[in-house]
Every structure is written in structure tokens, then in C-alpha cells.
Amino acid sequence: MSAGKITANPANHDVIILTDALRGALEHAQAQVNALVLGKAQAVRLAFVALLSDGHLLIEDLPGLGKTTLAHALAATLGLEFQRVQFTSDLLPADVVGVSVFDPTSRQFQFHPGPVFTQVLLADEINRAPPRTQSALLEAMAEHQVTVDGRTHPLPDPFFVIATQNPVDLSGTYPLPDSQLDRFLLRLHLGYPDEAAERDLLAGADRRHLIAQTRAVLSSEDVLAIRRAVDSVYAGESLIAYVQALLARSRKHPGVRVGLSPRAGLALLRAARAYALLLGRAHVVPEDVQALFAAVATHRLVAEADAAADLAKSILYAVAVD
């Protein structure tokens, strides 16, 4: 279903704002996902941030905490096509992107698309596949296309990857290289639900049954329209200077071996614009950047020791807002 269109702000033709109908549908979509993924309002908001920023999401957490439920709920609520791939040690690149098969009738090779040709792809336990298979997603995530046998095939738009990792059971896994990690806009942890949310979860209906009954609140056209609105959210010079100061600090902060790149700064600004829009603002404030900094920076920082999460917080606290 389509909830509305975007319109130009009459005071500034370079600014695009959401119609009331589309804004209301976006709020309804967040509420519906929150009703399916209980007690994780901030994680749900960050998932929307990643999607509406035209980025991808990496969820690192223990099994059974709602990673798959979040992906299913998001796709169902937004009316997007969904595919799930269980990454294993014997998974081949062709199992993800597809393969060309010779057709004796036409005497030509016919391309058979893989599960990556969808709008929401859940790459479950991505670090269990070997690097060659992991890298099959790299072009798809960066360029929204795949190349097989010299031919380029565009992916659907929107295209959104949610990948999961188990941070405890690392036996037989292949850590994602820095280039692959950098393709994920945000990395987050769901964690255990609080007592009230867990009680509601235990006493309520099965999540799979509820998701199967979920009706789409938005459409793919609406998602693309909201993305255009995100691009128009205003980030002032002082805000950009603050982001640049965070980048500079990360490169000379004690304990950091490799700091944040300019691409990380662009990702932080893009995510902050989406975060501001979800909170009903047409401009970014420092609090938006601060709310997102750890999720954007932690997996991009290369620490002298395994303390990237603590480093992200330390960098954030070390830079004052002018």
C-alpha cells in the first residue's frame, strides 16, 4: 500500500518533507515492529535508520534474542520481499548470488538469480561462511548489483542486508574483514529483554504466527520516498564540524591503531539524518550523532587491543560540542 508522497517545502525548494500520511505510516510501521520485537525500541529505531539511510545492518548477539524476528517483522511491516540465507562453511558464492546454467534448447547460458535478488536479505551467521562466500555479498552491498560471468545484474531497490553473528560460539568461523565490516552502516546488539517484555513474550502468541498475520503498512515506493526525504534533512556547518572533530579524534586517540575514515563520517551523517527524521525533525542535532556514534564507529575502529566499544565511548566523551 502507498501511504502518501513527498512534497517540497515551499520555504526552501531544496528541502523535501513528508506528507502527514506518510509520516503517520512511518510511525505506525515502527509501532508495529515494536509490537513484534518486544522491549527493543532503540534497536528497532536503529534498524529503521539503517534501512532509510540506504545502508546495511549487522546484529551481533546470542541465539534466541530476536535477530531473525526483527528481520522478518521489518520486511513484513514494510511490504518488502524477504529471503533468508543460513551461512555455513560449505556455502558457495553461487548459492548466494546465483549461477549461469547452459540451456541446450536455446544454446545459451541462462542466469538463475540467487537469494540475494530480494529487498531484505537476512544473512544468518555470516561469519560461518568462508571469505570467498562472504565477499560475494561485497559488490551487492556496495553497488546494489552482482556480476556473474562478466554480466552485471542490478538488484531490487530498495535492497537491505541484515547480517547476524554469534559473538560467543566462534569455533569454525571466519571473522569479517575490515572492508566487509565497513559496508555495514550500523552494528548493534539486542541483548536480553527486560523482565516485563520477557513476561509478555512468554505469555503471548508465537512471533512467527504474529508475523504471518502482519499487514504491510508501507510499500517499497514509500521507503524510497522516505529515503529522499532523509537526504534533505539539514546538517549545519557546526554539526559537520563536530563530526569531523570526532573523526580526527579517533585517529589520534590512545589505544586506536586505525581510526575512522571519511566514509565513516559520511555514514555517521547519513544515519544522523535518518535518526532526526524518525524523531520528527528536519535538522540534525548533536544528540543524534551521539546516539549513533557507537553503532557506526565500533566495528570500524581497529584497536590496539579488543576494546573497540570502549574506545568509541571514550572518543565521544573526549570531543566537546561547540
Side-chain angles (χ1 to χ4, degrees):
M1 61 175 290
S2 179
K5 298 180 179 180
I6 52 177
T7 59
N9 186 338
N12 183 348
H13 294 292
D14 293 330
V15 176
I16 298 174
I17 59 174
L18 298 180
T19 62
D20 291 340
L22 192 52
R23 183 176 297 281
L26 180 57
E27 293 175 355
H28 183 191
Q30 293 178 80
Q32 183 163 286
V33 176
N34 276 314
L36 295 167
V37 184
L38 301 178
K40 299 298 174 187
Q42 181 65 1
V44 168
R45 181 176 294 145
L46 292 182
F48 272 88
V49 165
L51 172 66
L52 299 178
S53 302
D54 195 12
H56 306 287
L57 180 65
L58 177 63
I59 306 177
E60 188 175 86
D61 222 321
L62 300 172
L65 296 183
K67 301 185 295 292
T68 303
T69 300
L70 174 58
H72 273 285
L74 197 63
T77 295
L78 300 178
L80 301 178
E81 183 183 352
F82 177 83
Q83 291 280 357
R84 175 184 178 180
V85 178
Q86 180 66 49
F87 278 62
T88 57
S89 59
D90 59 349
L91 194 71
L92 299 175
D95 296 327
V96 178
V97 301
V99 64
S100 293
V101 178
F102 183 74
D103 183 1
T105 303
S106 63
R107 295 182 177 275
Q108 293 180 334
F109 281 92
Q110 301 292 331
F111 178 64
H112 294 260
V116 75
F117 286 84
T118 188
Q119 293 177 309
V120 177
L121 175 69
L122 174 60
D124 215 356
E125 295 189 289
I126 189 173
N127 57 334
R128 295 203 173 276
R132 186 181 174 196
T133 303
Q134 293 176 7
S135 65
L137 273 180
L138 191 59
E139 182 187 13
M141 294 172 65
E143 307 295 339
H144 289 200
Q145 65 183 31
V146 297
T147 302
V148 178
D149 296 332
R151 295 187 61 184
T152 298
H153 306 272
L155 294 173
D157 195 16
F159 173 67
F160 180 48
V161 174
I162 301 177
T164 70
Q165 290 189 139
N166 180 352
V168 175
D169 185 11
L170 299 179
S171 176
T173 62
Y174 304 84
L176 292 174
D178 293 340
S179 59
Q180 186 88 23
L181 284 171
D182 195 44
R183 301 302 174 184
F184 290 99
L185 181 72
L186 304 176
R187 183 176 77 169
L188 58 88
H189 305 269
L190 294 180
Y192 291 106
D194 60 36
E195 184 177 351
E198 188 171 34
R199 184 178 295 274
D200 290 341
L201 184 63
L202 295 173
D206 185 271
R207 299 293 107 179
R208 290 172 296 181
H209 179 67
L210 293 176
I211 291 172
Q213 295 180 324
T214 297
R215 298 183 60 183
V217 176
L218 296 171
S219 66
S220 57
E221 292 78 11
D222 293 329
V223 172
L224 296 177
I226 298 170
R227 282 183 175 179
R228 292 193 292 273
V230 166
D231 291 338
S232 73
V233 173
Y234 179 71
E237 290 296 329
S238 61
L239 193 284
I240 293 174
Y242 177 50
V243 170
Q244 189 173 21
L246 289 170
L247 299 181
R249 179 71 189 189
S250 74
R251 297 163 192 163
K252 61 183 180 183
H253 196 74
V256 177
R257 183 156 54 91
V258 179
L260 299 176
S261 68
R263 183 159 60 189
L266 291 171
L268 182 56
L269 281 170
R270 192 165 69 248
R273 286 186 169 98
Y275 194 85
L277 184 75
L278 289 173
L279 293 179
R281 281 186 276 101
H283 63 281
V284 182
V285 297
E287 288 76 11
D288 300 326
V289 173
Q290 292 164 355
L292 293 164
F293 185 73
V296 172
T298 300
H299 60 292
R300 291 180 167 92
L301 291 170
V302 179
E304 297 291 354
D306 188 16
D310 293 334
L311 281 176
K313 294 178 182 178
S314 179
I315 292 167
L316 185 62
Y317 297 149
V319 177
V321 180
D322 292 333

